[in-house]
Amino acid sequence: MSTFATENTQATPGSQAPAVSVRGLNKAYGDLEVLRGIDLTVHPGEVVCLIGPSGSGKSTLLRCLNLLEEPQSGDITVSGFDVTDPDIDVDAMRRNVGMVFQQFNLFPHLTVLENCTVSQVKVLKRSNAEAEQTAMTNLERVGLVEKAQQRPGQLSGGQQQRVAIARALSMNPDLMLFDEPTSALDPETVGDVLAIMRTLANEGMTMLVVTHEMSFARDVADRVVFMDGGVVVEEGPAREVIGSPKHERTRSFLSRVLNPTKVDTPE
């Protein structure tokens, strides 16, 4: 179990089943413990932001949810799938989960439209016409219909990330995972990507977001989870955690992030 106390986020009796339920999750690389007894619940329609220093286990947690990383122990349920069941149909589970990475992960030899249709055709078995219609709808949502026939190398980083979001949305997921989606972008394009994510949140998309964008976390997230050293240190309503954190480690982290030029001087 985590060495820090966390609030109870279990679904209330009679409520809808959680979109994500994590209990006692542990992940290590050799002797390095990256996740230590993580408990986390995300309810349908909820936006949860994971914040914390680099190396705290945020991205590893996200990758464990769709088995891009295999945990050593613990229980994970995502969209009704028992992720830690050895007999899980991984492909079926991943159809319900969209993931947007730091580095876009687009196919460079395919056009924007083809990037958004290839998985629809191969995984969902949609016709080419249906896949293209769905892709164009989502490219319109991210403001890139006019780029449909271009290749990723012809686009800016921000545009490529917006394509990656459109690609994920084209699979009609129940849950969207964002792993620091703006970390590789220049400051001028960060806002475009965050605006799309804000729109998705307003539309009721269930989202779990690893981010260093504190203003986005404060204004858009329902809850914020602060991680450090592979454990959940503090979690709660976004404005409370970011505006008046209870734990000293959270306060120290946010002070550095929100005031990066502040220099602590010895008394």
Side-chain angles (χ1 to χ4, degrees), residues 42-130:
V42 180
H43 298 291
E46 191 175 27
V47 178
V48 176
C49 282
L50 302 177
I51 66 172
S54 297
S56 59
K58 307 182 301 297
S59 294
T60 301
L61 171 57
L62 225 60
R63 294 172 67 86
C64 284
L65 296 183
N66 60 3
L67 287 180
L68 293 176
E69 298 284 355
E70 187 171 347
Q72 267 74 40
S73 61
D75 297 306
I76 304 173
T77 302
V78 176
S79 295
F81 288 86
D82 181 354
V83 175
T84 47
D85 182 349
D87 297 322
I88 185 177
D89 185 338
V90 177
D91 291 335
M93 180 270 292
R94 287 178 178 164
R95 289 176 200 141
N96 294 280
V97 181
M99 187 158 184
V100 177
F101 301 87
Q102 297 178 34
Q103 298 294 337
F104 326 135
N105 289 10
L106 300 175
F107 295 111
H109 62 290
L110 300 180
T111 66
V112 164
L113 181 60
E114 289 167 340
N115 266 281
C116 294
T117 58
V118 61
S119 293
Q120 294 187 66
V121 173
K122 291 186 175 182
V123 177
L124 300 183
K125 307 303 180 184
R126 290 175 178 164
S127 67
N128 288 330
E130 183 183 5

Coordinates of all heavy atoms in Angstrom, one line a residue, residues 42-130:
V42 N -11.4 6.0 -11.6 CA -11.8 7.0 -12.5 C -13.2 6.6 -12.9 O -13.5 5.5 -13.4 CB -10.9 7.1 -13.7 CG1 -11.5 8.2 -14.6 CG2 -9.5 7.4 -13.3
H43 N -14.2 7.5 -12.7 CA -15.6 7.2 -13.0 C -15.9 7.7 -14.4 O -15.3 8.6 -14.9 CB -16.5 7.9 -12.0 CG -16.3 7.4 -10.6 ND1 -16.6 6.2 -10.2 CD2 -15.7 8.0 -9.5 CE1 -16.3 6.0 -8.9 NE2 -15.8 7.1 -8.4
P44 N -16.9 7.1 -15.0 CA -17.3 7.5 -16.4 C -17.6 9.0 -16.4 O -18.3 9.6 -15.5 CB -18.6 6.7 -16.6 CG -18.4 5.5 -15.8 CD -17.7 6.0 -14.5
G45 N -17.1 9.7 -17.4 CA -17.3 11.1 -17.6 C -16.4 12.0 -16.8 O -16.4 13.2 -16.9
E46 N -15.5 11.4 -16.0 CA -14.6 12.1 -15.1 C -13.3 12.4 -15.8 O -12.8 11.6 -16.6 CB -14.3 11.3 -13.9 CG -13.6 12.1 -12.8 CD -13.5 11.3 -11.5 OE1 -13.5 10.1 -11.5 OE2 -13.4 12.0 -10.4
V47 N -12.7 13.6 -15.5 CA -11.4 13.9 -16.0 C -10.4 14.0 -14.8 O -10.7 14.7 -13.9 CB -11.4 15.3 -16.7 CG1 -9.9 15.7 -17.2 CG2 -12.3 15.3 -17.9
V48 N -9.4 13.1 -14.8 CA -8.5 13.0 -13.7 C -7.1 13.3 -14.3 O -6.6 12.7 -15.3 CB -8.5 11.6 -13.1 CG1 -7.4 11.5 -12.0 CG2 -9.8 11.3 -12.5
C49 N -6.4 14.3 -13.7 CA -5.0 14.6 -14.1 C -4.0 14.0 -13.1 O -4.2 14.2 -11.9 CB -4.8 16.1 -14.2 SG -5.5 16.8 -15.7
L50 N -3.0 13.4 -13.6 CA -1.9 12.9 -12.8 C -0.7 13.9 -12.9 O -0.3 14.2 -14.0 CB -1.4 11.5 -13.3 CG -2.4 10.4 -13.4 CD1 -1.8 9.1 -14.0 CD2 -3.0 10.1 -12.0
I51 N -0.3 14.4 -11.8 CA 0.8 15.3 -11.8 C 1.9 14.8 -10.9 O 1.7 13.9 -10.0 CB 0.4 16.7 -11.4 CG1 -0.1 16.8 -9.9 CG2 -0.8 17.3 -12.3 CD1 -0.3 18.2 -9.3
G52 N 3.1 15.4 -11.0 CA 4.2 15.0 -10.2 C 5.5 15.1 -10.9 O 5.5 15.3 -12.1
P53 N 6.6 15.0 -10.2 CA 7.9 15.1 -10.8 C 8.2 14.0 -11.8 O 7.6 12.9 -11.8 CB 8.9 15.1 -9.7 CG 8.2 14.3 -8.6 CD 6.7 14.6 -8.8
S54 N 9.2 14.2 -12.7 CA 9.6 13.1 -13.6 C 10.1 11.9 -12.8 O 10.8 12.1 -11.8 CB 10.7 13.7 -14.5 OG 10.2 14.7 -15.3
G55 N 9.7 10.8 -13.3 CA 10.2 9.5 -12.6 C 9.3 9.1 -11.5 O 9.6 8.2 -10.7
S56 N 8.2 9.8 -11.3 CA 7.3 9.4 -10.2 C 6.4 8.2 -10.5 O 5.7 7.8 -9.6 CB 6.4 10.6 -9.8 OG 5.6 11.1 -10.9
G57 N 6.3 7.8 -11.7 CA 5.5 6.6 -12.1 C 4.2 6.9 -12.9 O 3.5 6.0 -13.2
K58 N 4.0 8.2 -13.2 CA 2.8 8.6 -13.8 C 2.6 7.9 -15.2 O 1.5 7.3 -15.4 CB 2.7 10.1 -14.0 CG 3.0 10.9 -12.8 CD 2.9 12.4 -13.1 CE 3.9 12.9 -14.1 NZ 5.3 12.7 -13.8
S59 N 3.6 8.0 -16.1 CA 3.4 7.4 -17.4 C 3.4 5.8 -17.3 O 2.7 5.2 -18.1 CB 4.6 7.8 -18.3 OG 4.5 9.2 -18.5
T60 N 4.1 5.3 -16.4 CA 4.1 3.8 -16.2 C 2.7 3.4 -15.8 O 2.2 2.3 -16.3 CB 5.2 3.4 -15.2 OG1 6.5 3.8 -15.6 CG2 5.1 1.9 -15.0
L61 N 2.1 4.1 -14.9 CA 0.7 3.8 -14.5 C -0.2 3.8 -15.7 O -1.0 2.8 -15.9 CB 0.2 4.8 -13.5 CG -1.2 4.7 -13.1 CD1 -1.6 3.4 -12.6 CD2 -1.6 5.8 -12.0
L62 N -0.1 4.8 -16.5 CA -0.9 4.9 -17.7 C -0.7 3.7 -18.6 O -1.7 3.1 -19.2 CB -0.6 6.2 -18.5 CG -1.8 7.0 -18.9 CD1 -2.7 7.5 -17.8 CD2 -1.3 8.3 -19.7
R63 N 0.5 3.3 -18.8 CA 0.9 2.2 -19.7 C 0.5 0.9 -19.2 O 0.2 0.0 -20.0 CB 2.4 2.3 -20.0 CG 2.8 3.5 -20.8 CD 4.3 3.6 -21.0 NE 4.9 2.5 -21.8 CZ 5.0 2.6 -23.1 NH1 4.5 3.6 -23.8 NH2 5.5 1.5 -23.8
C64 N 0.4 0.8 -17.9 CA -0.1 -0.5 -17.3 C -1.6 -0.7 -17.6 O -2.1 -1.8 -17.6 CB 0.1 -0.5 -15.8 SG 1.8 -0.8 -15.3
L65 N -2.3 0.4 -17.7 CA -3.8 0.3 -17.9 C -4.2 -0.4 -19.2 O -5.2 -1.0 -19.3 CB -4.4 1.7 -17.9 CG -4.3 2.5 -16.5 CD1 -5.1 3.8 -16.6 CD2 -4.8 1.6 -15.4
N66 N -3.3 -0.3 -20.2 CA -3.7 -1.0 -21.5 C -2.6 -2.0 -21.9 O -2.4 -2.4 -23.0 CB -3.9 0.0 -22.6 CG -2.7 0.8 -22.9 OD1 -1.7 0.7 -22.3 ND2 -2.8 1.8 -23.9
L67 N -1.8 -2.4 -20.8 CA -0.9 -3.5 -20.9 C 0.3 -3.2 -21.9 O 0.9 -4.1 -22.4 CB -1.5 -4.8 -21.3 CG -2.4 -5.5 -20.2 CD1 -3.0 -6.8 -20.7 CD2 -1.5 -5.8 -18.9
L68 N 0.6 -1.9 -22.1 CA 1.9 -1.6 -22.7 C 3.0 -1.9 -21.8 O 4.2 -2.1 -22.2 CB 1.9 -0.2 -23.1 CG 0.9 0.2 -24.3 CD1 1.0 1.7 -24.5 CD2 1.2 -0.5 -25.5
E69 N 2.7 -1.9 -20.5 CA 3.6 -2.4 -19.4 C 2.9 -3.5 -18.6 O 1.7 -3.3 -18.4 CB 4.1 -1.3 -18.5 CG 4.9 -0.2 -19.2 CD 6.3 -0.6 -19.5 OE1 6.7 -1.7 -19.1 OE2 7.0 0.2 -20.2
E70 N 3.5 -4.5 -18.2 CA 2.8 -5.6 -17.5 C 3.2 -5.4 -16.0 O 4.4 -5.5 -15.6 CB 3.3 -7.0 -17.9 CG 2.5 -8.1 -17.3 CD 2.8 -9.4 -18.0 OE1 3.4 -9.4 -19.1 OE2 2.4 -10.5 -17.4
P71 N 2.2 -5.2 -15.1 CA 2.5 -5.0 -13.7 C 2.9 -6.4 -13.0 O 2.5 -7.4 -13.5 CB 1.1 -4.6 -13.2 CG 0.1 -5.1 -14.1 CD 0.8 -5.1 -15.5
Q72 N 3.6 -6.2 -11.9 CA 4.0 -7.4 -11.2 C 2.8 -8.0 -10.3 O 2.6 -9.2 -10.2 CB 5.2 -7.1 -10.2 CG 6.5 -7.4 -10.8 CD 6.9 -6.4 -11.8 OE1 6.7 -5.2 -11.7 NE2 7.6 -6.8 -12.9
S73 N 2.0 -7.0 -9.8 CA 0.9 -7.5 -8.9 C -0.1 -6.3 -8.8 O 0.2 -5.2 -9.2 CB 1.4 -7.8 -7.5 OG 2.0 -6.7 -6.9
G74 N -1.3 -6.7 -8.4 CA -2.4 -5.7 -8.2 C -3.5 -6.1 -9.2 O -3.4 -7.0 -9.9
D75 N -4.6 -5.3 -9.0 CA -5.8 -5.5 -9.9 C -6.1 -4.3 -10.6 O -6.1 -3.2 -10.1 CB -7.0 -5.9 -9.0 CG -6.7 -7.2 -8.2 OD1 -6.4 -8.2 -8.8 OD2 -6.9 -7.2 -7.0
I76 N -6.4 -4.5 -11.9 CA -6.8 -3.4 -12.8 C -8.0 -3.8 -13.6 O -8.1 -4.8 -14.2 CB -5.7 -3.0 -13.8 CG1 -4.3 -2.7 -13.1 CG2 -6.1 -1.8 -14.7 CD1 -3.2 -2.5 -14.1
T77 N -9.0 -2.9 -13.5 CA -10.2 -3.1 -14.4 C -10.4 -1.8 -15.2 O -10.4 -0.7 -14.7 CB -11.5 -3.3 -13.5 OG1 -11.3 -4.4 -12.7 CG2 -12.7 -3.5 -14.4
V78 N -10.5 -2.0 -16.5 CA -10.7 -0.9 -17.5 C -11.9 -1.2 -18.4 O -11.9 -2.2 -19.1 CB -9.4 -0.7 -18.3 CG1 -9.7 0.4 -19.4 CG2 -8.2 -0.3 -17.4
S79 N -12.9 -0.3 -18.4 CA -14.1 -0.5 -19.2 C -14.6 -1.9 -19.1 O -15.1 -2.5 -20.1 CB -13.7 -0.2 -20.7 OG -13.4 1.1 -20.8
G80 N -14.6 -2.4 -17.9 CA -15.2 -3.7 -17.6 C -14.3 -4.9 -17.9 O -14.7 -6.1 -17.6
F81 N -13.1 -4.7 -18.4 CA -12.1 -5.7 -18.6 C -11.2 -5.9 -17.4 O -10.6 -4.9 -16.9 CB -11.3 -5.4 -19.9 CG -12.0 -5.5 -21.2 CD1 -12.8 -4.5 -21.7 CD2 -12.0 -6.7 -21.9 CE1 -13.5 -4.6 -22.9 CE2 -12.7 -6.8 -23.1 CZ -13.4 -5.8 -23.6
D82 N -11.0 -7.1 -17.0 CA -10.0 -7.4 -16.0 C -8.6 -7.5 -16.7 O -8.2 -8.5 -17.2 CB -10.3 -8.7 -15.3 CG -9.3 -9.1 -14.2 OD1 -8.3 -8.3 -14.0 OD2 -9.5 -10.1 -13.5
V83 N -7.9 -6.4 -16.6 CA -6.6 -6.2 -17.3 C -5.6 -7.2 -16.8 O -4.7 -7.6 -17.6 CB -6.1 -4.8 -17.2 CG1 -4.8 -4.6 -17.9 CG2 -7.1 -3.8 -17.9
T84 N -5.6 -7.6 -15.6 CA -4.6 -8.5 -15.0 C -5.0 -10.0 -15.2 O -4.3 -10.9 -14.7 CB -4.4 -8.2 -13.5 OG1 -5.6 -8.0 -12.8 CG2 -3.6 -6.9 -13.4
D85 N -6.1 -10.3 -15.8 CA -6.5 -11.6 -16.1 C -5.6 -12.2 -17.2 O -5.5 -11.6 -18.3 CB -8.0 -11.7 -16.6 CG -8.5 -13.1 -16.9 OD1 -7.6 -14.0 -16.9 OD2 -9.7 -13.2 -17.1
P86 N -4.9 -13.3 -17.0 CA -4.0 -13.8 -18.0 C -4.6 -14.2 -19.3 O -4.0 -14.2 -20.4 CB -3.4 -15.1 -17.3 CG -3.6 -14.9 -15.9 CD -4.9 -14.1 -15.7
D87 N -5.9 -14.4 -19.3 CA -6.7 -14.8 -20.5 C -7.4 -13.6 -21.1 O -8.3 -13.8 -22.0 CB -7.7 -15.9 -20.1 CG -7.0 -17.1 -19.7 OD1 -6.0 -17.5 -20.2 OD2 -7.6 -17.8 -18.7
I88 N -7.1 -12.4 -20.7 CA -7.8 -11.2 -21.3 C -7.6 -11.1 -22.8 O -6.5 -11.4 -23.3 CB -7.3 -9.9 -20.6 CG1 -8.1 -8.7 -21.1 CG2 -5.8 -9.7 -20.8 CD1 -7.7 -7.4 -20.5
D89 N -8.6 -10.7 -23.5 CA -8.5 -10.4 -24.9 C -8.0 -8.9 -25.0 O -8.8 -8.0 -24.9 CB -9.9 -10.5 -25.6 CG -9.9 -10.3 -27.1 OD1 -8.9 -9.7 -27.6 OD2 -10.8 -10.8 -27.8
V90 N -6.7 -8.8 -25.2 CA -6.1 -7.5 -25.1 C -6.6 -6.6 -26.2 O -6.8 -5.4 -26.0 CB -4.5 -7.6 -25.2 CG1 -3.9 -6.2 -25.3 CG2 -4.0 -8.4 -24.0
D91 N -6.8 -7.1 -27.4 CA -7.2 -6.3 -28.5 C -8.6 -5.8 -28.3 O -8.9 -4.6 -28.6 CB -7.2 -7.2 -29.8 CG -5.8 -7.5 -30.3 OD1 -4.9 -6.7 -30.0 OD2 -5.7 -8.5 -31.0
A92 N -9.5 -6.6 -27.7 CA -10.9 -6.2 -27.4 C -10.8 -5.1 -26.4 O -11.6 -4.1 -26.5 CB -11.7 -7.4 -26.9
M93 N -10.0 -5.2 -25.4 CA -9.9 -4.2 -24.3 C -9.4 -2.9 -24.9 O -9.9 -1.8 -24.6 CB -8.9 -4.6 -23.2 CG -8.7 -3.7 -22.1 SD -7.3 -2.5 -22.4 CE -5.9 -3.7 -22.3
R94 N -8.4 -3.0 -25.8 CA -7.8 -1.7 -26.3 C -8.7 -1.0 -27.3 O -8.5 0.2 -27.6 CB -6.5 -2.1 -27.0 CG -5.3 -2.4 -26.0 CD -4.1 -2.8 -26.7 NE -3.0 -3.0 -25.8 CZ -1.9 -3.7 -26.1 NH1 -1.7 -4.1 -27.3 NH2 -0.9 -3.9 -25.1
R95 N -9.7 -1.7 -27.8 CA -10.7 -1.0 -28.7 C -11.4 0.0 -27.9 O -12.0 1.0 -28.5 CB -11.6 -2.1 -29.3 CG -11.0 -3.0 -30.3 CD -12.0 -4.0 -30.8 NE -11.3 -5.1 -31.4 CZ -11.7 -6.4 -31.3 NH1 -12.7 -6.7 -30.5 NH2 -11.0 -7.4 -31.9
N96 N -11.5 -0.1 -26.6 CA -12.3 0.8 -25.8 C -11.4 1.9 -25.2 O -11.9 2.8 -24.5 CB -12.9 0.0 -24.6 CG -14.0 -1.0 -25.1 OD1 -15.1 -0.6 -25.4 ND2 -13.6 -2.2 -25.2
V97 N -10.1 1.8 -25.4 CA -9.2 2.8 -24.8 C -8.3 3.5 -25.9 O -7.6 2.8 -26.6 CB -8.2 2.0 -23.8 CG1 -7.3 3.1 -23.2 CG2 -9.0 1.3 -22.8
G98 N -8.5 4.8 -26.0 CA -7.6 5.6 -26.9 C -6.5 6.1 -26.1 O -6.6 6.5 -25.0
M99 N -5.3 6.1 -26.8 CA -4.1 6.6 -26.1 C -3.3 7.6 -27.0 O -3.1 7.3 -28.1 CB -3.2 5.5 -25.6 CG -2.0 6.0 -24.8 SD -1.3 4.7 -23.7 CE -0.1 5.6 -22.8
V100 N -3.0 8.7 -26.4 CA -2.2 9.8 -27.1 C -0.9 9.9 -26.4 O -0.8 10.2 -25.2 CB -3.0 11.1 -27.1 CG1 -2.1 12.2 -27.8 CG2 -4.3 11.0 -27.8
F101 N 0.2 9.7 -27.1 CA 1.5 9.7 -26.6 C 2.2 11.1 -26.7 O 1.8 12.0 -27.4 CB 2.4 8.6 -27.3 CG 1.8 7.2 -27.2 CD1 0.9 6.8 -28.1 CD2 2.2 6.4 -26.2 CE1 0.4 5.5 -28.1 CE2 1.7 5.1 -26.1 CZ 0.8 4.6 -27.1
Q102 N 3.4 11.2 -26.1 CA 4.2 12.4 -26.1 C 4.7 12.6 -27.6 O 4.7 13.8 -28.0 CB 5.4 12.3 -25.2 CG 5.1 12.1 -23.8 CD 6.4 12.0 -22.9 OE1 7.4 12.6 -23.2 NE2 6.3 11.2 -21.9
Q103 N 5.1 11.6 -28.3 CA 5.7 11.7 -29.6 C 4.9 11.4 -30.8 O 5.4 11.0 -31.8 CB 7.0 10.9 -29.6 CG 8.0 11.3 -28.5 CD 8.6 12.7 -28.8 OE1 8.6 13.2 -29.9 NE2 9.1 13.3 -27.7
F104 N 3.5 11.5 -30.6 CA 2.6 11.4 -31.7 C 2.4 10.0 -32.2 O 1.3 9.5 -32.4 CB 2.9 12.3 -32.9 CG 3.5 13.6 -32.5 CD1 4.6 14.1 -33.2 CD2 3.0 14.4 -31.4 CE1 5.2 15.3 -32.8 CE2 3.6 15.6 -31.0 CZ 4.7 16.0 -31.8
N105 N 3.5 9.3 -32.5 CA 3.5 7.9 -33.0 C 2.6 7.7 -34.3 O 1.9 6.7 -34.4 CB 3.0 6.9 -31.9 CG 4.0 6.8 -30.8 OD1 5.0 7.5 -30.8 ND2 3.8 5.8 -29.9
L106 N 2.7 8.6 -35.2 CA 2.0 8.5 -36.4 C 2.8 7.7 -37.4 O 4.1 7.7 -37.3 CB 1.7 9.9 -37.0 CG 0.8 10.8 -36.2 CD1 0.7 12.2 -36.8 CD2 -0.6 10.2 -35.9
F107 N 2.2 7.1 -38.4 CA 2.9 6.4 -39.4 C 3.4 7.4 -40.5 O 2.5 8.0 -41.2 CB 2.0 5.3 -40.1 CG 1.6 4.2 -39.2 CD1 0.3 4.1 -38.8 CD2 2.5 3.3 -38.7 CE1 -0.1 3.1 -38.0 CE2 2.1 2.3 -37.9 CZ 0.8 2.1 -37.5
P108 N 4.7 7.6 -40.6 CA 5.2 8.7 -41.5 C 4.9 8.5 -43.0 O 4.8 9.4 -43.7 CB 6.7 8.7 -41.2 CG 7.0 7.3 -40.7 CD 5.8 6.9 -40.0
H109 N 4.7 7.2 -43.4 CA 4.5 6.9 -44.8 C 3.0 7.0 -45.2 O 2.7 6.9 -46.4 CB 5.1 5.5 -45.1 CG 4.4 4.4 -44.4 ND1 4.5 4.2 -43.1 CD2 3.5 3.4 -44.9 CE1 3.8 3.1 -42.7 NE2 3.2 2.7 -43.8
L110 N 2.2 7.2 -44.3 CA 0.7 7.2 -44.5 C 0.3 8.7 -44.5 O 0.8 9.5 -43.8 CB -0.1 6.4 -43.5 CG 0.2 4.9 -43.5 CD1 -0.7 4.3 -42.4 CD2 0.0 4.3 -44.9
T111 N -0.8 9.0 -45.2 CA -1.4 10.3 -45.1 C -2.1 10.5 -43.8 O -2.3 9.5 -43.0 CB -2.4 10.6 -46.2 OG1 -3.5 9.7 -46.0 CG2 -1.8 10.4 -47.6
V112 N -2.5 11.7 -43.4 CA -3.2 12.0 -42.2 C -4.5 11.1 -42.2 O -4.8 10.5 -41.2 CB -3.5 13.5 -42.1 CG1 -4.6 13.7 -41.1 CG2 -2.3 14.2 -41.8
L113 N -5.2 11.1 -43.3 CA -6.5 10.3 -43.4 C -6.2 8.9 -43.2 O -6.9 8.2 -42.5 CB -7.1 10.6 -44.7 CG -8.5 9.9 -45.0 CD1 -9.5 10.3 -43.9 CD2 -9.0 10.2 -46.4
E114 N -5.2 8.3 -43.8 CA -4.8 6.9 -43.7 C -4.4 6.6 -42.3 O -4.8 5.5 -41.8 CB -3.7 6.5 -44.7 CG -4.2 6.5 -46.1 CD -3.0 6.5 -47.1 OE1 -1.9 6.8 -46.7 OE2 -3.2 6.1 -48.3
N115 N -3.7 7.5 -41.6 CA -3.4 7.3 -40.2 C -4.6 7.1 -39.3 O -4.6 6.3 -38.4 CB -2.5 8.4 -39.7 CG -1.1 8.2 -39.7 OD1 -0.5 7.5 -38.9 ND2 -0.4 8.7 -40.8
C116 N -5.7 7.8 -39.7 CA -6.9 7.8 -38.9 C -7.9 6.7 -39.3 O -8.9 6.5 -38.7 CB -7.6 9.1 -39.1 SG -6.8 10.5 -38.3
T117 N -7.6 6.0 -40.4 CA -8.5 4.9 -40.9 C -7.9 3.5 -40.8 O -8.7 2.5 -40.7 CB -8.9 5.1 -42.4 OG1 -7.7 5.1 -43.2 CG2 -9.6 6.4 -42.6
V118 N -6.6 3.4 -40.8 CA -6.0 2.0 -40.9 C -6.5 1.1 -39.7 O -6.8 -0.1 -39.9 CB -4.5 2.1 -40.9 CG1 -3.9 2.8 -39.7 CG2 -3.9 0.7 -41.2
S119 N -6.5 1.6 -38.5 CA -6.9 0.8 -37.4 C -8.4 0.5 -37.4 O -8.9 -0.6 -37.0 CB -6.6 1.4 -36.0 OG -5.2 1.5 -35.9
Q120 N -9.2 1.5 -37.9 CA -10.6 1.3 -38.0 C -10.9 0.1 -38.9 O -11.8 -0.8 -38.6 CB -11.3 2.5 -38.6 CG -11.3 3.7 -37.7 CD -12.2 4.8 -38.3 OE1 -13.4 4.7 -38.4 NE2 -11.5 5.9 -38.8
V121 N -10.2 0.0 -40.0 CA -10.5 -1.0 -41.0 C -10.0 -2.4 -40.5 O -10.6 -3.4 -40.6 CB -9.8 -0.7 -42.3 CG1 -9.9 -1.9 -43.3 CG2 -10.5 0.6 -42.9
K122 N -8.7 -2.4 -39.9 CA -8.1 -3.6 -39.5 C -8.6 -4.2 -38.2 O -8.8 -5.4 -38.0 CB -6.6 -3.5 -39.4 CG -5.9 -3.2 -40.8 CD -4.4 -3.2 -40.6 CE -3.7 -3.1 -42.0 NZ -2.2 -3.1 -41.9
V123 N -8.9 -3.3 -37.3 CA -9.4 -3.7 -35.9 C -10.9 -3.8 -35.8 O -11.4 -4.8 -35.3 CB -8.7 -2.8 -34.8 CG1 -9.2 -3.3 -33.5 CG2 -7.2 -2.9 -34.9
L124 N -11.5 -2.7 -36.2 CA -13.0 -2.6 -36.1 C -13.7 -3.2 -37.3 O -15.0 -3.3 -37.2 CB -13.4 -1.2 -35.9 CG -12.9 -0.4 -34.6 CD1 -13.4 1.0 -34.5 CD2 -13.1 -1.2 -33.4
K125 N -13.0 -3.5 -38.3 CA -13.6 -4.1 -39.5 C -14.6 -3.2 -40.2 O -15.6 -3.7 -40.8 CB -14.2 -5.5 -39.2 CG -13.3 -6.5 -38.5 CD -12.0 -6.7 -39.2 CE -11.1 -7.7 -38.5 NZ -9.8 -7.9 -39.2
R126 N -14.4 -1.9 -40.1 CA -15.2 -1.0 -40.8 C -14.9 -1.0 -42.3 O -13.7 -1.2 -42.7 CB -15.1 0.4 -40.2 CG -15.7 0.6 -38.9 CD -15.4 1.9 -38.3 NE -16.1 2.1 -37.0 CZ -15.8 3.0 -36.1 NH1 -14.8 4.0 -36.4 NH2 -16.4 3.1 -34.9
S127 N -15.8 -0.6 -43.1 CA -15.5 -0.4 -44.5 C -14.7 0.8 -44.7 O -14.6 1.7 -43.9 CB -16.8 -0.3 -45.3 OG -17.5 0.9 -45.0
N128 N -14.0 0.9 -45.9 CA -13.2 2.0 -46.1 C -14.0 3.3 -46.1 O -13.6 4.3 -45.6 CB -12.5 1.9 -47.5 CG -11.4 0.9 -47.4 OD1 -10.7 0.6 -46.4 ND2 -11.1 0.2 -48.6
A129 N -15.2 3.3 -46.7 CA -16.0 4.4 -46.7 C -16.5 4.9 -45.3 O -16.4 6.1 -45.0 CB -17.3 4.2 -47.6
E130 N -16.9 3.9 -44.5 CA -17.3 4.3 -43.1 C -16.1 4.8 -42.3 O -16.2 5.8 -41.6 CB -17.8 3.1 -42.4 CG -18.4 3.4 -41.0 CD -18.9 2.1 -40.3 OE1 -18.8 1.0 -40.8 OE2 -19.4 2.3 -39.1

